[in-house]
Amino acid sequence: FFCIYFDTAVIDLKRFSIRRQKYINAITFFITVLGIAGLVAAPDRTSDAAADGISVCLNTVVPSLFPFFVFSSLFIGLGFAQKIGRRTEWLMRPLFHVNGACSGIFVLGLISGFPVGAKTAVKLYQSGGCSKVEAERMLAFCNNAGPAFVLGTVGMGIWNSPSAGWILLSSQIVASVLTGILFSRIWRSSSQDRFSPAVLSQPKQERRPFFSVFVSSVRDAAVSMVYICAFIIFFAVIISMLQGFGIIPVLAKGICAIFPFDLQTVENALAGVFEMTTGVRMVGNAAPVIRSLTLTGAILGWAGFSVHCQVLTFVYESGLSTVPYFWGKILQTVFSGLFTFLLSWLFHLDSVQTLSQAVPAFSSSFVFSYRYMLFSVCIGVALICFGSLFVLLVQNRKN
């Protein structure tokens, strides 16, 4: 009886898998046909969106990311990551459960922007500088929006307020650190992974000539930029079609019919789910300020499917799991939105105009930039100290 029941269950499972694959094929076919129909029905709109995407790539993405790709590859290829890692092992191991070589990835992820941190983590894993689990942990929190984008494009360009830019950047840093501390305790491959010996103790690899490393770094950076720009242009067209044919408004109305949300807020959030820059621009400097700024912080934490596809391009080639990356982005979305709301409420950011009028116009940007920079640095240092102290207390108790 048990054998018959087991065979029946296996057959049902196979039928379900076949049926599910048919549904997936039907859905992908339907989406592909809709995409082609959208391109044929509105060629002017899609062409303008593609042109805007190309303009963003040439004027913003390539100048800002390409040098970081080259220097990050040089940083790892020349062995500097392992040299610095031996001096930062005492901090990275108890705080994030990774070896010291990953400290460079964490710093690059904070200062360079999407998707340099993720690409550098994959590069370090492929070169043998960290284990698979350590690379997957770094993917969960090392991929962040860069200060140039948050302070310049979002803070001054969209919000016209350095205060808003520093609040958003502070929230990004705090969310990244908290996600790293929390996720390092969750994502483990085995019980032996808790404090395994660092990969840095392995024998040194043969040193490559500088010119060889430089050429390969430039080549890899160029290939990566092609992938990134292709995804940016493609998702710019997708967002244009979703907005032009009313798909995003229909989805927003359906969500508002179930939950008591504002229609415009839901539309902006849906746009940010697909493409971060478009969502942030749609939110804009709108009232109420705290709600709009909180939504902007959440969108920056999530990054959008466009950035996710850029990251997955590197992850799939390395064989790393994508599960920690997506869970990490979900945590960063929650933490970033929460801390943006708390900082906006703490500093009484009810009105950007009111805040900018608190001091003379000439010195307002410098005063508030310094104020929020100092606050974000203090919060980051306090979090790191608290996390290190907590880990050391737990270790002492176990010993």
Side-chain angles (χ1 to χ4, degrees):
F1 174 78
F2 175 76
C3 292
I4 294 175
Y5 178 79
F6 181 76
D7 291 340
T8 305
V10 171
I11 294 173
D12 292 339
L13 184 61
K14 290 181 179 179
R15 290 177 180 175
F16 174 76
S17 300
I18 295 173
R19 198 180 304 117
R20 184 182 63 178
Q21 188 61 40
K22 289 182 179 180
Y23 290 149
I24 293 175
N25 293 336
I27 292 173
T28 52
F29 174 77
F30 182 68
I31 293 175
T32 305
V33 171
L34 281 181
I36 296 174
L39 293 174
V40 175
D44 296 336
R45 174 183 290 273
T46 55
S47 298
D48 292 340
D52 291 339
I54 294 174
S55 177
V56 170
C57 291
L58 294 179
N59 297 326
T60 304
V61 177
V62 174
S64 60
L65 289 185
F66 182 75
F68 274 106
F69 278 152
V70 175
F71 282 111
S72 62
S73 297
L74 286 173
F75 182 77
I76 295 174
L78 295 175
F80 294 131
Q82 293 192 0
K83 292 179 180 178
I84 296 177
R86 294 187 180 93
R87 294 173 173 82
T88 57
E89 179 81 11
W90 63 274
L91 178 63
M92 298 297 292
R93 178 62 60 181
L95 193 62
F96 299 124
H97 283 190
V98 294
N99 70 70
C102 299
S103 59
I105 302 174
F106 179 63
V107 174
L108 285 173
L110 289 178
I111 67 174
S112 57
F114 306 114
V116 176
K119 184 181 184 300
T120 310
V122 173
K123 186 75 174 178
L124 184 65
Y125 166 66
Q126 291 175 337
S127 65
C130 65
S131 66
K132 181 178 180 181
V133 180
E134 289 174 334
E136 291 170 348
R137 286 174 183 161
M138 295 301 298
L139 286 175
F141 67 97
C142 71
N143 199 44
N144 306 289
F149 177 78
V150 177
L151 297 177
T153 304
V154 182
M156 293 302 300
I158 296 177
W159 282 89
N160 195 25
S161 169
S163 308
W166 281 104
I167 284 179
L168 292 171
L169 182 61
S170 304
S171 302
Q172 295 294 301
I173 296 173
V174 174
S176 176
V177 174
L178 280 181
T179 302
I181 294 174
L182 180 61
F183 209 86
S184 63
R185 274 72 186 168
I186 299 174
W187 187 257
R188 294 171 180 165
S189 61
S190 63
S191 59
Q192 298 177 354
D193 180 67
R194 185 168 301 176
F195 284 101
S196 58
V199 183
L200 300 174
S201 60
Q202 294 179 354
K204 294 183 179 180
Q205 299 179 354
E206 184 179 353
R207 188 173 181 178
R208 296 170 57 190
F210 172 79
F211 184 75
S212 175
V213 177
F214 174 72
V215 171
S216 62
S217 299
V218 174
R219 182 184 64 246
D220 294 342
V223 174
S224 301
M225 291 309 307
V226 171
Y227 281 117
I228 292 172
C229 292
F231 281 119
I232 291 175
I233 297 170
F234 176 76
F235 274 94
V237 175
I238 292 297
I239 291 293
S240 177
M241 288 194 295
L242 291 176
Q243 292 175 341
F245 294 107
I247 297 177
I248 287 182
V250 169
L251 292 176
K253 290 180 180 178
I255 295 174
C256 292
I258 301 174
F259 302 100
F261 295 149
D262 180 67
L263 179 62
Q264 188 63 40
T265 302
V266 175
E267 289 185 9
N268 298 338
L270 288 175
V273 168
F274 288 96
E275 215 284 315
M276 176 187 64
T277 306
T278 303
V280 169
R281 288 176 178 173
M282 288 181 64
V283 173
N285 186 353
V289 172
I290 293 181
R291 185 181 69 183
S292 300
L293 197 64
T294 301
L295 181 59
T296 302
I299 292 174
L300 291 175
W302 169 248
F305 284 119
S306 176
V307 173
H308 299 338
C309 290
Q310 299 169 26
V311 173
L312 295 181
T313 302
F314 310 120
V315 175
Y316 281 144
E317 295 176 353
S318 62
L320 298 173
S321 174
T322 59
V323 174
Y325 171 75
F326 281 107
W327 277 111
K329 296 312 296 180
I330 292 174
L331 287 176
Q332 281 190 270
T333 304
V334 175
F335 288 146
S336 181
L338 177 61
F339 278 99
T340 302
F341 173 79
L342 293 177
L343 291 178
S344 302
W345 174 79
L346 179 64
F347 289 101
H348 304 286
L349 196 65
D350 299 325
S351 173
V352 174
Q353 290 77 16
T354 302
L355 194 64
S356 61
Q357 293 171 358
V359 293
F362 176 78
S363 60
S364 61
S365 60
F366 300 99
V367 171
F368 284 108
S369 296
Y370 174 77
R371 178 184 180 185
Y372 286 100
M373 179 183 68
L374 182 62
F375 182 79
S376 62
V377 170
C378 292
I379 288 292
V381 172
L383 272 174
I384 293 175
C385 294
F386 176 78
S388 303
L389 180 62
F390 176 78
V391 171
L392 292 175
L393 289 175
V394 172
Q395 286 181 336
N396 292 334
R397 184 171 181 178
K398 288 182 179 179
N399 292 333

